[in-house]
Amino acid sequence: MAGFDFDLFVIGAGSGGVRAARVSAAYGAKVAIAEEHKVGGTCVIRGCVPKKLLVYGSHFAEDLADARRFGWAVPDCKFAWPVLRDNVLAEVTRLEAAYTDTLEHHGVEIIHARARVAGSHEVKVGKRVIRAKTILIATGAHPMLPEFPGAQHGFTSNEAFHLERLPKRIVIAGAGYIANEFAGIFHGFGSHVTLVNRSDVILRGYDESIRDRLLQISMTKGIEYRFNVTFEKISRSRDRSLKVHMKGCDSIAADAVMYAIGRVPNTRSLGLETAGIKTDGKGAVPVNENNRSTCPSIYAVGDVTNRVQLTPVAIREGQAFADTMFGGNPCKVDYGSIPSAVFSHPPLAGVGMTESQAREKLGSVKIFTSDFRAMKNVLAGRNERALYKLVVDGGTDEVVGIHMIGPDAPEILQAAAIAVKAKLKKSDFDQVVALHPTMAEELVLMR
Ligand SMILES: Cc1cc2nc3c(=O)[nH]c(=O)nc-3n(C[C@H](O)[C@H](O)[C@H](O)COP(=O)(O)OP(=O)(O)OC[C@H]3O[C@@H](n4cnc5c(N)ncnc54)[C@H](O)[C@@H]3O)c2cc1C
């Protein structure tokens, strides 16, 4: 390490950076990590974790209503947003401390400040220049903000967790997983939700039948959609309410507007040019399969590379980086068959090829579906149907995709994804005896 302050300097203590720093230190490397906000990053502080807690919180609206059909005398319940908000933020603070402890326990030096690259082996933190043999960029991404008159009246998912009060009426811009999840969250809390999208497709990349089912269920619940429209202006009225003016549909009166229109890699003012690194058209750091940038001593993992913007992927990339660089175990991340979910109401999840992808790529395709009402929904009188789909290669009988919407779909799909990764055949599914009575048994009963 002659001439260097650290073997590894990590910029960004999120999912990817924390894993890379901790494991590299465990292998014996001298590691520092810089974090300008809070240790834990997007997932822990303003992403997966607080969002899932809000999803749980909002689902009580339906659970409490259904409870009456199961014999429970439920008094008129009132929801207090400040209670849930503060409890969620307290949990986030607990997790931030746990992540900090883990890093410190492994001997990683945490620098609570913004860092920028100042050369192929140099990082600048304030006025201090630190020399590192290897630099890892793990700065993540931030929500994209639109540009039109009055756009400043809206907020993003970053602010959604801190709202002072719940909006009675909210317009959510976007149609990806964050937009749909927050549509379900706010609807559950009693807000009137209008989801506005510039195209007529929601959740691009997920199976068409599953997306259509979510749309149908959400509309039945009362969530409104406006498709093929663009924002023109947001104005604030005297009574503090907002008016959202749009091209393609009438203007909407609302109390809040949330933007969930994409996420941009955090590379601005990061000094990458000092090491000769050029970002791509979306601002991401281009890397090879070993996470190495065009500068041999600088690597990047996670959302800042804009490959697959998911926490488990960032963690895998951070782990592969550490194993390869400091563990004597060169390895690459396998990006095939990554399962993913949308924690909407009801949730949906998928792994592998969608039906249309399979039809485009494979010679012959067999589709098996189960369209059913979960037992609990039947007794609750909830007319909400689950849909499971197996996509099978007609030539080999291999199950190349599983897609589902319904209660607990992400929990069920995580286990089922093993079968897709292991390239199991439909006949393997058929041989498994059903576990009754479950929803998951539908997976082995489709004929
Ligand atoms: C609302 C929401 C919900 C989500 N839900 C899910 C989900 O359910 N499942 C899932 O898998 N993924 C989910 N994600 C995505 C997931 O959070 C990200 O994919 C993941 O956090 C990426 O990890 P990362 O390490 O690349 O970056 P991040 O976790 O974003 O960490 C980057 C860190 O770098 C810091 N930083 C940036 N620049 C600098 C600098 N110059 N100096 C010092 N520090 C810097 C940032 O403050 C941040 O802490 C969600 C994201 C959002 C926004």
Side-chain angles (χ1 to χ4, degrees):
M1 220 186 52
F4 295 114
D5 302 304
F6 293 98
D7 296 308
L8 173 65
F9 194 102
V10 181
I11 306 181
S15 308
V18 167
R19 175 59 66 95
R22 170 170 75 72
V23 177
S24 300
Y27 285 134
K30 188 176 179 206
V31 183
I33 191 166
E35 172 53 55
E36 67 173 343
H37 185 228
K38 288 181 175 177
V39 172
T42 303
C43 175
V44 174
I45 309 294
R46 52 189 172 273
C48 332
V49 172
K51 169 207 71 190
K52 185 79 185 280
L53 293 171
L54 293 190
V55 170
Y56 281 131
S58 70
H59 210 276
F60 275 97
E62 290 182 6
D63 294 339
L64 288 165
D66 293 351
R68 295 189 175 97
R69 291 278 303 164
F70 287 83
W72 290 91
V74 182
D76 277 344
C77 295
K78 280 211 178 87
F79 173 64
W81 161 249
V83 175
L84 177 63
R85 178 198 60 202
D86 293 350
N87 285 344
V88 169
L89 294 178
E91 172 61 5
V92 164
T93 302
R94 187 188 71 79
L95 288 171
E96 184 196 352
Y99 274 71
T100 303
D101 276 358
T102 306
L103 285 171
E104 284 173 353
H105 176 77
H106 283 84
V108 175
E109 184 175 327
I110 305 174
I111 301 171
H112 294 277
R114 180 171 174 79
R116 63 192 299 270
V117 176
S120 49
H121 291 284
E122 286 85 34
V123 174
K124 215 168 168 193
V125 182
K127 289 202 173 121
R128 184 176 160 207
V129 175
I130 296 163
R131 282 183 53 76
K133 195 168 180 203
T134 301
I135 297 168
L136 179 68
I137 313 284
T139 50
H142 64 272
M144 188 187 288
L145 284 170
E147 283 180 23
F148 55 78
Q152 76 278 5
H153 295 306
F155 60 83
T156 70
S157 57
N158 282 356
E159 294 76 42
F161 301 105
H162 301 269
L163 292 182
E164 211 167 296
R165 64 185 74 85
L166 272 180
K168 283 202 175 74
R169 303 159 298 176
I170 183 165
V171 170
I172 300 179
Y177 77 94
I178 295 176
N180 279 282
E181 291 176 339
F182 275 93
I185 288 169
F186 282 114
H187 175 78
F189 293 150
S191 304
H192 180 270
V193 178
T194 308
L195 200 140
V196 171
N197 188 30
R198 61 182 178 179
S199 80
D200 60 358
V201 178
I202 63 162
L203 296 172
R204 207 178 281 280
Y206 283 91
D207 189 88
E208 292 79 358
S209 324
I210 305 294
R211 295 177 342 201
D212 285 351
R213 180 60 55 92
L214 177 66
L215 198 56
Q216 180 233 315
I217 294 175
S218 302
M219 284 166 72
T220 308
K221 284 186 200 290
I223 295 176
E224 289 196 39
Y225 292 83
R226 298 280 186 280
F227 290 129
N228 298 315
V229 296
T230 46
F231 282 72
E232 280 187 325
K233 188 172 87 169
I234 300 179
S235 49
R236 194 181 276 290
S237 313
R238 281 222 181 107
D239 65 357
R240 306 294 300 154
S241 70
L242 301 172
K243 194 154 197 188
V244 186
H245 303 265
M246 286 173 294
K247 202 166 145 191
C249 80
D250 292 344
S251 52
I252 301 176
D255 304 296
V257 175
M258 174 174 165
Y259 307 119
I261 53 175
R263 294 185 53 81
V264 188
N266 286 328
T267 49
R268 238 174 95 187
S269 311
L270 198 56
L272 294 173
E273 68 289 347
T274 62
I277 299 171
K278 283 201 181 92
T279 54
D280 70 11
K282 290 191 168 146
V285 179
V287 288
N288 68 10
E289 54 185 8
N290 293 313
N291 302 301
R292 197 166 76 183
S293 75
T294 49
C295 173
S297 54
I298 301 186
Y299 292 70
V301 295
D303 284 6
V304 73
T305 64
N306 199 24
R307 286 173 287 187
V308 181
Q309 291 194 339
L310 289 173
T311 285
V313 177
I315 290 174
R316 286 234 161 181
E317 289 169 355
Q319 178 80 42
F321 164 82
D323 288 346
T324 304
M325 296 295 295
F326 302 105
N329 174 25
C331 55
K332 298 181 175 65
V333 174
D334 173 1
Y335 292 91
S337 300
I338 295 172
S340 66
V342 181
F343 294 93
S344 41
H345 289 355
L348 62 88
V351 63
M353 286 188 225
T354 63
E355 179 175 348
S356 61
Q357 286 168 348
R359 290 203 189 281
E360 213 176 288
K361 287 195 189 128
L362 307 175
S364 83
V365 176
K366 284 189 196 155
I367 301 296
F368 299 85
T369 56
S370 177
D371 189 334
F372 63 99
R373 216 150 50 116
M375 196 189 249
K376 192 171 166 229
N377 281 345
V378 176
L379 194 72
R382 194 170 281 287
N383 191 18
E384 193 177 298
R385 299 185 71 82
L387 179 64
Y388 289 10
K389 183 187 275 190
L390 294 187
V391 182
V392 178
D393 184 332
T396 62
D397 195 38
E398 186 183 318
V399 177
V400 293
I402 305 180
H403 309 279
M404 48 173 67
I405 179 167
D408 297 330
E411 302 291 341
I412 298 166
L413 187 101
Q414 174 67 88
I418 299 168
V420 174
K421 191 75 187 163
K423 299 183 179 302
L424 294 190
K425 296 191 184 325
K426 174 67 168 63
S427 54
D428 297 315
F429 279 60
D430 295 344
Q431 281 178 33
V432 178
V433 174
L435 197 166
H436 186 71
T438 61
M439 293 173 285
E441 67 181 311
E442 296 299 322
L443 283 174
V444 299
L445 294 175
M446 287 185 239
R447 297 288 189 272

